Amino acid sequence: MKEQRELQEIVEEIELLVRYAVSEEDYDTAKELLEQYRANRVALQVLREYYSSLPEAREEALSRIVHIHMRQGIFLLGVSTGTHEYIFFAGEDEAECLGEYLEDDGDPEILAYFGYADKKSFLQRHPAMAVFKDFSETWKINKTLCPVCSVAIGEYHHLGCSVEICPWCQGQLSRCNCRFDQMQQEEIESDEDLKRFEELLQQKGRIAFQEGQGPFYPVAGNDGLVLSKK
Ligand SMILES: [Zn+2]
Ligand SMILES: [Zn+2]
């Protein structure tokens, strides 16, 4: 139950921030959105970040969070107050504001991570934030599938998925050195090698996808299994 207690702690922290940050007339709106997302860890990170560093002189409550993009468990989200719109990038442990939806240049590195050359090309593809779906809707679908290889809860990942946990070292299976140690060779060279590795994996006790398992971050793309020893 550790996870739930942590969520509750974040919610309480946001409630406190809202009390100080938001004008009285916006208070109910802020509470309503918080209520809607109180079990969504990623959205809570966005709310916490927004209310702890509100743009100067704006005491506005957030009224909506929309889903723009997801890549390997990291989200690009839009948030709006009714009069202002911002872009956030968020995972389960942190969120960061990339500035106003239409106004600011954003962080080029993060935009590139989601496949946009720059903010201009982002806006060419998404001129208006209002058309995106509510994050609460897309979250329901996403959180029950592996964010990288899309298997369901309880299923084994596709071999090479960057989310899969190594049963030997509890690290990232596609990147650790355990397969070479287990197979006592420096390289995986053939389909037979791969098959043998999968068998060793099953014998050891392969770790299936579970809800809440995210990618190891930062990740350099999902390039599959690394085939030679580091
Ligand atoms: Zn997976
Ligand atoms: Zn390992």
Side-chain angles (χ1 to χ4, degrees):
M1 290 289 100
K2 183 167 177 280
E3 172 146 339
Q4 265 176 13
R5 194 168 65 233
E6 275 176 27
L7 278 184
Q8 184 55 29
E9 274 167 24
I10 304 175
V11 168
E12 281 167 16
E13 192 187 335
I14 296 166
E15 279 171 348
L16 207 68
L17 288 166
V18 162
R19 217 165 294 156
Y20 288 105
V22 172
S23 70
E24 218 166 289
E25 65 199 62
D26 259 22
Y27 189 71
D28 288 346
T29 310
K31 290 280 282 188
E32 227 170 87
L33 196 74
L34 177 57
E35 215 36 62
Q36 188 185 352
Y37 285 106
R38 63 182 308 138
N40 180 327
R41 183 175 287 270
V42 175
L44 288 179
Q45 297 296 351
V46 170
L47 294 178
R48 173 157 70 178
E49 178 58 26
Y50 173 83
Y51 288 118
S52 55
S53 53
L54 261 191
E56 228 177 297
R58 290 179 194 162
E59 302 182 320
E60 300 170 330
L62 289 184
S63 53
R64 193 169 179 231
I65 304 178
V66 299
H67 176 116
I68 300 173
H69 232 302
M70 182 195 67
R71 191 178 157 212
Q72 301 193 330
I74 308 296
F75 293 84
L76 199 61
L77 302 171
V79 304
S80 66
T81 66
T83 48
H84 291 94
E85 295 174 331
Y86 308 90
I87 301 179
F88 273 80
F89 122 87
E92 300 217 331
D93 298 315
E94 59 171 345
E96 199 181 304
C97 185
L98 299 185
E100 288 196 46
Y101 191 88
L102 292 173
E103 307 295 328
D104 296 313
D105 288 341
D107 182 326
E109 220 173 292
I110 290 167
L111 288 170
Y113 178 75
F114 290 100
Y116 304 100
D118 52 22
K119 185 66 186 296
K120 200 171 147 217
S121 70
F122 171 87
L123 286 176
Q124 272 165 359
R125 267 167 70 188
H126 313 296
M129 204 186 94
V131 298
F132 290 110
K133 282 204 173 115
D134 262 19
F135 186 39
S136 54
E137 267 178 62
T138 59
W139 177 256
K140 268 184 235 149
I141 303 162
N142 281 327
K143 75 167 188 174
T144 56
L145 298 178
C146 170
V148 174
C149 75
S150 297
V151 296
I153 291 167
E155 290 181 337
Y156 295 125
H157 296 272
H158 297 296
L159 194 63
C161 171
S162 60
V163 176
E164 180 158 4
I165 296 168
C166 171
W168 288 284
C169 73
Q170 309 299 316
Q172 184 177 15
L173 181 68
S174 64
R175 290 284 178 279
C176 69
N177 273 329
C178 296
R179 61 189 161 286
F180 307 110
D181 300 340
Q182 291 301 321
M183 296 178 71
Q184 294 171 330
Q185 57 193 64
E186 298 285 299
E187 239 162 296
I188 291 179
E189 288 171 327
S190 61
D191 287 351
E192 260 96 90
D193 283 353
L194 268 181
K195 245 176 139 182
R196 196 158 75 81
F197 173 56
E198 263 192 286
E199 280 164 19
L200 286 169
L201 200 55
Q202 294 291 0
Q203 280 165 23
K204 173 69 184 168
R206 198 170 177 184
I207 300 174
F209 174 61
Q210 289 155 30
E211 190 173 334
Q213 254 178 23
F216 291 76
Y217 186 77
V219 281
N222 184 38
D223 306 326
L225 214 59
V226 174
L227 295 178
S228 46
K229 195 167 177 175
K230 280 172 272 193

